[in-house]
Amino acid sequence: MQEHQPAIDERLPEEWTSGAPQATERAPKSPADWLGWLIALAVLAFFAVFGFQAMTWALAGGWQWLWMLVGLPVFAMFSVLTVVFVCTTLRERRRVRVALENIRLERGEGLRIGEPLELRLRATAPNASEGERTTAPVRLTLRLMKRGAPSLPDTCCDETVMQCEDAQAARLLYTGTLCTRPEDGGAALWFVTVHETDAVDAAPFLVAPLRLLPAR
């Protein structure tokens, strides 16, 4: 009987971040960033050149060999700093975090056996932290699950891919339609799960029970 079936462990998070490995991309720089970068490079290069010039002065001999005490450490230190600065800044990358927040799932009135059920998932892409860019997933996988007898595993009765209408919009909308077959009826608990499409075998990040409605 249905009263002996284990309850659905509802999971309706307001925010979610993909558990898949996050991609990286080259961090863009504004004109002001490039100007600051060029100024810093010019300062480092100036001291490296000064150190080299001081060593050439020391080659004249006499008391000018004292320039070597200044030129050698200055040239060595600022040459290394210049190379490290250029390599580090030109190879600077940022993480692309796939995430959602303010997640809301619209389930309608409930589920009727044999009739399609349209679901809408609304969310926003979170603000990016320093050193990253956030983006919404292009697709999500939606599954219709059935829980029968306690000794039996949950059964997936239908599955669909929810497409994001506009990944650049302030408010995102994913839609998908699920439907049961007439033979899927009987005493059972019904719920939907939402998965990351690229990791459908992982645990769902959203689990929402459905209200079973009588047939029309």
Side-chain angles (χ1 to χ4, degrees), residues 73-94:
V74 170
F75 173 74
M77 179 175 64
F78 281 93
S79 295
V80 172
L81 288 177
T82 301
V83 173
V84 171
F85 175 74
V86 171
C87 293
T88 301
T89 53
L90 291 182
R91 296 176 60 186
E92 184 180 0
R93 302 183 69 84
R94 66 180 180 182

Side-chain angles (χ1 to χ4, degrees), residues 62-186:
W63 64 269
Q64 295 196 58
W65 70 269
L66 294 174
W67 281 109
M68 186 65 71
L69 300 178
V70 176
L72 183 59
V74 170
F75 173 74
M77 179 175 64
F78 281 93
S79 295
V80 172
L81 288 177
T82 301
V83 173
V84 171
F85 175 74
V86 171
C87 293
T88 301
T89 53
L90 291 182
R91 296 176 60 186
E92 184 180 0
R93 302 183 69 84
R94 66 180 180 182
R95 181 178 68 151
V96 182
R97 181 164 64 96
V98 179
L100 295 172
E101 67 178 7
N102 302 318
I103 302 171
R104 297 292 182 272
L105 181 67
E106 299 175 0
R107 290 166 274 178
E109 295 181 357
L111 173 70
R112 282 189 170 90
I113 301 298
E115 295 188 15
L117 171 66
E118 183 178 3
L119 296 101
R120 296 172 178 266
L121 188 146
R122 301 182 186 273
T124 59
N127 295 327
S129 303
E130 185 177 357
E132 70 174 14
R133 177 175 68 87
T134 56
T135 184
V138 178
R139 297 175 298 275
L140 294 172
T141 295
L142 181 67
R143 286 176 174 171
L144 177 62
M145 305 296 295
K146 173 184 177 181
R147 176 168 296 176
S151 58
L152 298 177
D154 296 338
T155 304
C156 178
C157 296
D158 196 13
E159 179 179 309
T160 187
V161 174
M162 308 173 75
Q163 297 282 349
C164 180
E165 289 193 354
D166 186 357
Q168 305 302 320
R171 189 70 179 173
L172 308 170
L173 175 63
Y174 299 82
T175 59
T177 301
L178 297 169
C179 188
T180 62
R181 299 180 297 271
E183 58 268 25
D184 290 330

